[in-house]
Every structure is written in structure tokens, then in C-alpha cells.
């Protein structure tokens, strides 16, 4: 093998290793954020007003202003679940009243909720019907 071929093979290996490392580190925040491990097991109800709606991947999200003025991030289901619930980008608009039932972030300093159901104008949009717990 020539000196150039040895160098090229070693460079290729380093490039592949760097790409694998980069892919793994980029996936960490996504893996940590998705799922339910970051959320409390108990559910809460949040009432407020929609400030913004985002239907962008990786999951649709609402920013909701609660009665006390605190801004909450309300994660909906993945795009397919959200669509199956009947909620689309045209279902609601900023200023609409909302009730969200879901699981709050374990870190109470974060105003962050993963919704299992949202209610707008008396209509239920169930993102995770199998997870809904009502008293």
C-alpha cells in the first residue's frame, strides 16, 4: 500500500469516527426530550390562553399564557398523533382559551407540559388517549 493510500484510509476512518460521534451527540438532546422520562407521572390541568402555535417537527407545540401570567410550553403529540386527534394548524389561533391535561416537567422551575389532551371551545383533542387519567 502506498503512503498516500495509507493516509487516505486513516483519514477516512477519522472522518467516519467524527461523523459517528457528531451523530451520537446530536441525538442526545432529542432522546432526552422525547418520551415521558422527563415528566411527572401525575397529571395536571393547565388553563390559559394560546400565545403561539407551532406545527413544526419534531412535535407540534403551543405556548400558553396561564392566568398568573406565566408562559408554558405545551408539547402536543408527534405530528401523526396530533393530526389523528383532529388538531391542525387551523384548529386554534393565538388568543383562544385552552385547557391542557398532561404531565408536567420533573423540574418545577420549567413551565413545560406534555399534553395528553387539550380542550378548545369545549372540544377534546386527545393526543394520547391511552394515557388520560381523570378523577
Amino acid at each position: 500500500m502506498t503512503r498516500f493510500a495509507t493516509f487516505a484510509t486513516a483519514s477516512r476512518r477519522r472522518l467516519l469516527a467524527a461523523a459517528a460521534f457528531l451523530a451520537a451527540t446530536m441525538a442526545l438532546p432529542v432522546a432526552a426530550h422525547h418520551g415521558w422520562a422527563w415528566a411527572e407521572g401525575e397529571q395536571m390541568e393547565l388553563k390559559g390562553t394560546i400565545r403561539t402555535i407551532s406545527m413544526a417537527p419534531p412535535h407540534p407545540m403551543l405556548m400558553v399564557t396561564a392566568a398568573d401570567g406565566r408562559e408554558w410550553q405545551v408539547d402536543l403529540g408527534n405530528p401523526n398523533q396530533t393530526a389523528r386527534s383532529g388538531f391542525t394548524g387551523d384548529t386554534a389561533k393565538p388568543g383562544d382559551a385552552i385547557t391542557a391535561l398532561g404531565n408536567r416537567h420533573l423540574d418545577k422551575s420549567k413551565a413545560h407540559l406534555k399534553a395528553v389532551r387539550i380542550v378548545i371551545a369545549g372540544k377534546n383533542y386527545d393526543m394520547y388517549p391511552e394515557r388520560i387519567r381523570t378523577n
Side-chain angles (χ1 to χ4, degrees):
M1 193 180 277
T2 69
R3 189 186 252 176
F4 177 75
T6 302
F7 174 77
T9 301
S11 292
R12 213 173 303 132
R13 275 193 220 123
R14 280 193 297 274
L15 181 60
L16 287 172
F21 175 77
L22 182 61
T25 57
M26 288 177 64
L28 286 176
V30 172
H33 178 78
H34 285 80
W36 295 87
W38 61 270
E40 290 183 342
E42 197 165 316
Q43 292 179 343
M44 66 168 278
E45 188 176 86
L46 172 69
K47 292 183 181 229
T49 304
I50 298 172
R51 188 172 63 83
T52 62
I53 300 170
S54 171
M55 299 302 286
H59 53 76
M61 174 187 73
L62 307 174
M63 292 305 293
V64 175
T65 305
D68 64 0
R70 190 168 187 195
E71 268 318 290
W72 283 78
Q73 177 178 324
V74 178
D75 292 345
L76 305 179
N78 68 47
N80 290 330
Q81 287 169 306
T82 300
R84 280 193 303 271
S85 79
F87 189 89
T88 69
D90 298 325
T91 300
K93 63 186 180 319
D96 286 351
I98 183 174
T99 300
L101 174 67
N103 301 75
R104 181 181 186 163
H105 200 289
L106 288 169
D107 180 348
K108 298 259 194 240
S109 71
K110 296 183 179 182
H112 189 181
L113 178 78
K114 186 162 184 174
V116 294
R117 168 185 284 162
I118 58 171
V119 183
I120 300 171
K123 181 167 172 40
N124 291 348
Y125 299 91
D126 295 341
M127 308 295 148
Y128 298 93
E130 71 284 0
R131 296 185 72 95
I132 295 172
R133 290 185 225 130
T134 57
N135 297 336

